[in-house]
Amino acid sequence: MAQDPAPKHLTITLDIDLQTAGSTVGEARVRATYNAVVEAALVAAMEQLPEGSIKTVTAEMDWSYRWMEKREVRFSRGDDGEGDKD
């Protein structure tokens, strides 16, 4: 009796850093970009992987704002090497 092959998973994460000075990127453009990227990834996967090997594909979109600030020193060891003792 033949055994089923062990399940394998390929996870690909894309992080698109948008910088749009003086404007915003609306939901429609974000969603269209997401759909285009997912579709391109599916086409590429089907071209590269053996026929019939893709069982299911899940995709997820997370839209967030991340403000980058100048790094701030939160802890610094003193000249004596002892550091803060609170």
Side-chain angles (χ1 to χ4, degrees):
M1 186 181 244
Q3 288 185 323
D4 288 335
K8 299 171 188 83
H9 293 267
L10 170 64
T11 301
I12 301 169
T13 303
L14 297 172
D15 184 11
I16 301 173
D17 183 2
L18 303 175
Q19 295 186 6
T20 53
S23 70
T24 60
V25 178
E27 179 185 352
R29 280 190 174 173
V30 170
R31 194 165 300 282
T33 301
Y34 167 74
N35 289 331
V37 168
V38 170
E39 183 61 32
L42 288 172
V43 168
M46 288 188 282
E47 287 175 358
Q48 297 299 317
L49 296 171
E51 188 175 329
S53 65
I54 299 174
K55 183 177 177 185
T56 59
V57 175
T58 57
E60 178 180 310
M61 177 173 61
D62 175 32
W63 175 248
S64 64
Y65 290 91
R66 289 178 264 169
W67 282 269
M68 301 302 290
E69 293 185 14
K70 197 172 189 179
R71 289 184 181 233
E72 179 183 338
V73 176
R74 298 288 178 137
F75 172 82
S76 178
R77 184 176 296 191
D79 289 340
D80 59 1
E82 291 298 315
D84 246 352
K85 293 184 180 179
D86 287 338

